[in-house]
Amino acid sequence: MATPLFAPFLILLLFSPASAHAQQIGTLTPELHPRFPTQQCTSSGICTTKQTSLVTDALSRHFHSISDPSVSCASADFLSNPSLCDPDDPASCAANCALEGIEYGGIGVSAVGSAVTLRQYLFDGAEYRAVSPRVYLLAEDGENYEPLTLLGQELAVDVDVSGLPCGMNSAVYLSEMDLSGSRSESNPAGAGYGTGYCDAQCFRTAPWINGLVSLRACGFVIKKPNLNSSGACCNEMDIWEANSRANSFTPHTCSSPGSFLCSSEAECGKGAPGVCDKDGCGLNTFNLGSPSFYGLGLDIDSSKPFTIVTQFLTNDAGELSEIKRLYIQNGQVTPNTAETTDSRFDGISYEGSITEDFCAAKNSSDYLRLGGMKGMGEALARGMVLVFSLWNSEGDFMSWLDGLPSNGPCNATEGDPALIRAQVPDVSVTFSNVRWGEIGSTFSMSGGVKEEGVVTGPDIVTDVAVSVENRGTRVNVVTGPVLGLAVIFGFMASA
């Protein structure tokens, strides 16, 4: 499930038509993207550093009236003033608005070296306020998103979730956003200002879509029925949704490639004829009957940093057949546990990964209806955008992720954002050392193999100085060369 940013600010998405009425790039606050180098690896043992950076979503920015910067272009003062925003001509509204740069420390984002720390709350001198940061990976040009084409490849990320209690969700996911951020004449800002967001939830709460105003989201009457019911949709792969108590990974498919609009309650909703799979085909080891695998002091000890490796394996036809999860901690590679007490999987070969049979056994009907593994693989092959976020939920306390009795060890109230803010407001997550490439290219088992039948790759060669850990392994792991933990997780304390 992607991060829902419900704040009434800008979202510029998808197929913005060419228009003389363009929203402006503001001049009040410069946009300085935090540097966040990543690495692309090959099976020959070479990892090349890419000078990538991060950009926050347009929803987090000041989007204001050009004539009066104190007036938000998502406010009633702007949207109900026909001299500024004519509901019969939504394109004219954009011409009176400007989108500003942002100071990243003010939204809880701190990048140092190849690590980024996200904070949920910041103290403003009187109280802790929620910021719920969400950032996207920008290409080296700083103007477009970095395309990750991961079919038949793997993605590795080092994570530290030790500071995340029940109710928090640190997310790493892929979205099939337009790589330019849907840049156009009516949306000149583009990816460099975090525009173009979409996901499989098709959220319909933002007042601006396609560089045009959608007054439905603000409670106003609008004479444009298409805008009145539109949402921004695309394929989504949730690599990691987790706190220190539970985690899951989940693919979500949609009916069309790339980013597109849904145009009615039925299309934007769950079930047929909905155009995207909102529930997904998720894998949560606690939910499947293995409560001792992941958590504080458990097999995968979330009180300490570790690496997650997600492999997108293909069949002989080149189609996605399996989404496999590996963990690397304390020098050992551990596949996701295949332990389950769920009788739905008695008739299939379940090995702790997501397959078409796994999704059918779970009755993930929308996922299968909208393309299943083949459809998800096609999106991965086209290229998707990497997203990092941190959030919590006042509506359900994140019980779908970590709540008793089915999804995690957290009770009914532990995830209440009011309790988190009052008791542990300095919650944060650190993501670092992002690398992707051919299967087996982002990690190594040069520290020794604990069981037979696993082929290891050569030592890695990298064009930047990194510390490389020796790693052991368990059986049934597809491996190759390695990048070890390149970052000491001291950034969270110093950020």
Side-chain angles (χ1 to χ4, degrees), residues 117-120 160-164 390 425-430 492:
T117 295
L118 305 180
R119 300 182 183 281
Q120 174 67 13
D160 186 345
V161 294
S162 59
L164 293 182
L390 182 64
D426 193 26
V427 289
S428 65
V429 61
T430 297
M492 187 167 64

Side-chain angles (χ1 to χ4, degrees), residues 372-426:
M373 298 296 285
K374 183 176 183 291
M376 190 75 255
E378 290 170 349
L380 291 165
R382 287 189 294 265
M384 303 180 78
V385 177
L386 188 61
V387 184
F388 303 94
S389 68
L390 182 64
W391 60 295
N392 54 29
S393 174
E394 294 183 357
D396 57 21
F397 299 172
M398 215 64 72
S399 61
W400 61 266
L401 173 65
D402 60 22
L404 286 168
S406 299
N407 301 316
C410 303
N411 68 35
T413 60
E414 282 181 278
D416 184 346
L419 289 180
I420 297 171
R421 190 194 308 241
Q423 297 175 1
V424 283
D426 193 26

Side-chain angles (χ1 to χ4, degrees), residues 136 177 261 313 324 386 404 418 475:
Y136 313 130
M177 298 159 60
L261 294 178
L313 306 177
K324 191 177 187 69
L386 188 61
L404 286 168
V475 75

Side-chain angles (χ1 to χ4, degrees), residues 65 75 86 99 115 140 216 247 252 260 270 280 304 307 312 337 379 385 395 437 447 451:
S65 167
S75 68
D86 182 355
L99 180 64
E140 292 179 309
R216 182 204 67 80
N247 82 74
H252 301 262
F260 62 98
K270 287 186 178 183
K304 301 174 183 178
T307 302
F312 299 97
T337 180
V385 177
E451 300 186 44

Side-chain angles (χ1 to χ4, degrees), residues 236-269:
E236 172 189 342
M237 175 65 221
D238 294 331
I239 301 288
W240 176 253
E241 293 190 279
N243 51 47
S244 64
R245 311 302 300 280
N247 82 74
S248 69
F249 58 107
T250 309
H252 301 262
T253 46
C254 292
S255 62
S256 299
S259 53
F260 62 98
L261 294 178
C262 58
S263 58
S264 68
E265 290 282 354
E267 279 192 0
C268 300

